[in-house]
């Protein structure tokens, strides 16, 4: 599905009562003066977004509705995979509509973007946490020197940057926090970020998968060729750039498609990009509730995602009952995937794979 000319154009803004008192809140509201404003008690509890009828109007909700709130919890959560810690979110939800995304199960139907306006409190909390930690005692698979904070657990910061300066402020903050680095995954190429001057203190992880599948399941995202073409430019602009091969979706022709993607990526990378490239490999995790929801707005995606013949139920760390590829087969498929990657791109270190 092609990226629309206007990814997000808010016509209705739900906002918590305290939003207008924050400079960032006033800035965002000023960007969209024609949007209707509706006050709500909590950005998490908006009854209108819980209307099941919205499943039939998924993409319009993502394009036309914006939520503004104040982030209450400012604690850092240990991670150990993509990052050492999960930082407090500066947003929740996304204007894109990837069919496998777990975030859409958390806050009503479609889960439009919520922007949190207390950005200064969030960046100060990260700085205090990093100061308490002090220098990283030893290298790990996440980073050899710095504590890494994931900044975009529940959204895509490249898209958030279309709405506010929160992302610019985060990148600026990490230039000044000793021993700490920010990190976020993205499926959208926002070239405005090239001017943010990260000075090597922010890591961007471009998510990649074969275009054949992406055209169906990566709805409203940048084309795979555009993401690959952006890597060299982001490295030149001072970002550390990794890639996420995610999600890996097993099907009858997956070997040829992934080998073609590796070849395209290898051919595109500059020497500077190759020298710093690392990756994550994440096989698909699905969910029965998400399957039922997808059948209402994008059933074609379920032809790729819903494979009971290949999947089994497993409880996640967060207590959700998910569907993952059967353990015995997944181990074989993962080993096979890593061998294809190693043959095509031996310089690309795999930070973790599951």
């Amino acid at each position: 599905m092609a990226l629309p000319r206007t990814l997000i154009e808010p016509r209705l803004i739900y906002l918590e009562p305290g939003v207008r008192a924050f400079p960032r809140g006033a800035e965002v509201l000023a960007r969209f003066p024609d949007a209707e404003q509706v006050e709500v008690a909590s950005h998490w509890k908006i009854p209108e977004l819980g209307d099941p009828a919205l499943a039939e109007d998924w993409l319009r909700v993502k394009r036309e509705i914006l939520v503004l709130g104040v982030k209450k919890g400012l604690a850092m959560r240990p991670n150990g995979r993509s990052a050492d810690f999960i930082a407090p979110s500066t947003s929740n939800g996304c204007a894109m509509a990837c069919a496998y995304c777990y975030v859409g199960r958390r806050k009503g139907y479609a889960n439009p973007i919520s922007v949190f306006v207390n950005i200064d409190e969030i960046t100060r909390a990260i700085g205090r946490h990093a100061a308490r930690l002090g220098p990283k005692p030893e290298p790990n698979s996440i980073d050899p020197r710095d504590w890494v904070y994931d900044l975009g657990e529940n959204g895509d910061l490249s898209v958030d940057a279309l709405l506010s300066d929160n992302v610019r402020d985060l990148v600026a903050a990490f230039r000044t926090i000793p021993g700490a680095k920010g990190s976020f995954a993205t499926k959208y190429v926002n070239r405005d970020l090239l001017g943010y001057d990260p000075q090597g203190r922010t890591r961007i992880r471009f998510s990649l998968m074969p275009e054949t599948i992406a055209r169906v399941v990566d709805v409203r995202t940048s084309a795979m060729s555009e993401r690959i073409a952006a890597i060299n430019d982001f490295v030149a602009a001072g970002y550390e750039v990794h890639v996420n091969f995610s999600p890996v979706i097993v099907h009858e022709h997956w070997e040829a498609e992934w080998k073609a993607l590796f070849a395209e990526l290898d051919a595109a990378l500059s020497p500077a990009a190759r020298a710093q490239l690392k990756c994550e490999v994440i096989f698909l995790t699905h969910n029965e509730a998400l399957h039922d929801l997808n059948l209402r707005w994008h059933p074609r995606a379920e032809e790729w995602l819903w494979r009971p013949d290949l999947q089994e139920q497993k409880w996640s760390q967060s207590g959700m009952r998910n569907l993952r590829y059967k353990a015995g087969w997944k181990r074989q498929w993962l080993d096979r995937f890593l061998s294809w990657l190693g043959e095509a791109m031996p310089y690309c270190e795999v930070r973790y794979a599951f």
Side-chain angles (χ1 to χ4, degrees):
M1 187 174 293
L3 192 67
R5 285 181 296 176
T6 303
L7 192 62
I8 181 166
E9 188 176 20
R11 298 185 180 182
L12 171 62
I13 299 176
Y14 293 106
L15 67 158
E16 293 179 336
V19 159
R20 294 186 180 90
F22 289 86
R24 183 55 36 81
E27 290 171 13
V28 175
L29 291 172
R31 287 192 184 198
F32 307 106
D34 297 328
E36 179 186 359
Q37 299 179 18
V38 176
E39 285 200 3
V40 292
S42 169
H43 67 88
W44 275 117
K45 299 177 181 178
I46 303 175
E48 292 81 357
L49 294 182
D51 183 355
L54 291 181
E56 313 295 336
D57 212 4
W58 196 266
L59 302 184
R60 182 193 63 79
V61 171
K62 285 184 169 291
R63 184 178 63 252
E64 297 182 1
I65 294 179
L66 175 64
V67 181
L68 299 180
V70 179
K71 180 67 175 176
K72 309 303 190 297
L74 298 179
M76 312 293 149
R77 296 183 1 251
N79 180 245
R81 285 181 169 169
S82 290
D84 294 293
F85 299 96
I86 305 295
S89 298
T90 55
S91 69
N92 180 284
C94 188
M96 297 182 290
C98 300
Y100 48 81
C101 181
Y102 72 92
V103 179
R105 305 197 294 263
R106 297 287 184 88
K107 186 184 65 182
Y109 288 87
N111 198 22
I113 295 177
S114 295
V115 171
F116 300 131
V117 298
N118 52 329
I119 181 64
D120 292 339
E121 294 177 357
I122 293 171
T123 55
R124 286 196 297 266
I126 297 171
R128 290 193 300 268
H129 186 268
R132 288 195 299 269
L133 289 173
K136 196 170 195 175
E138 59 185 12
N140 62 10
S141 62
I142 297 165
D143 195 88
R145 293 173 300 275
D146 297 315
W147 298 109
V148 177
Y149 292 81
D150 193 290
L151 308 175
E153 181 188 29
N154 294 315
D156 191 308
L157 268 62
S158 296
V159 178
D160 294 347
L162 300 173
L163 297 168
S164 82
D165 284 335
N166 276 0
V167 182
R168 184 186 293 272
D169 290 348
L170 286 168
V171 172
F174 277 97
R175 294 199 300 261
T176 67
I177 302 175
K181 181 182 293 180
S183 178
F184 64 92
T186 185
K187 299 169 188 172
Y188 178 70
V189 177
N190 183 346
R191 290 185 171 271
D192 290 346
L193 273 64
L194 294 172
Y196 285 10
D197 189 25
Q199 299 179 14
R201 311 308 301 161
T202 297
R203 174 187 296 168
I204 290 183
R205 310 184 321 269
F206 281 102
S207 295
L208 303 176
M209 69 167 65
E211 187 69 39
T212 301
I213 300 177
R215 283 197 295 265
V216 179
V217 302
D218 263 21
V219 181
R220 307 186 92 224
T221 65
S222 295
M224 217 56 54
S225 58
E226 185 179 358
R227 300 183 211 179
I228 292 172
I231 292 174
N232 294 342
D233 294 336
F234 275 80
V235 171
Y239 289 94
E240 183 181 38
V241 180
H242 292 183
V243 293
N244 287 357
F245 298 118
S246 169
V248 177
I249 298 173
V250 177
H251 65 102
E252 285 68 21
H253 305 291
W254 71 310
E255 178 176 355
E257 293 178 355
W258 278 102
K259 286 183 174 180
L261 177 65
F262 295 151
E264 179 183 357
L265 179 59
D266 177 62
L269 294 175
S270 67
R274 287 183 183 217
Q276 55 85 71
L277 188 71
K278 297 181 182 180
C279 75
E280 303 171 5
V281 179
I282 306 171
F283 273 64
L284 173 70
T285 297
H286 202 27
N287 179 280
E288 188 171 355
L290 182 58
H291 167 67
D292 292 340
L293 192 56
N294 282 346
L295 291 178
R296 301 181 60 181
W297 80 275
H298 189 29
R300 189 180 168 210
E302 289 305 298
E303 297 174 12
W304 298 97
L305 304 178
W306 184 256
R307 291 292 303 268
D309 55 323
L310 305 180
Q311 295 163 329
E312 62 186 2
Q313 290 187 349
K314 184 174 182 180
W315 291 97
S316 70
Q317 293 178 344
S318 60
M320 300 186 72
R321 190 172 66 179
N322 292 329
L323 288 171
R324 298 180 181 177
Y325 293 122
K326 294 178 180 179
W329 294 351
K330 180 181 175 181
R331 181 68 259 175
Q332 297 179 46
W333 293 333
L334 177 56
D335 289 344
R336 197 179 307 170
F337 184 95
L338 295 176
S339 71
W340 302 334
L341 175 61
E343 291 171 4
M345 302 171 62
Y347 51 86
C348 182
E349 176 184 335
V350 179
R351 289 188 38 252
Y352 79 90
F354 75 95

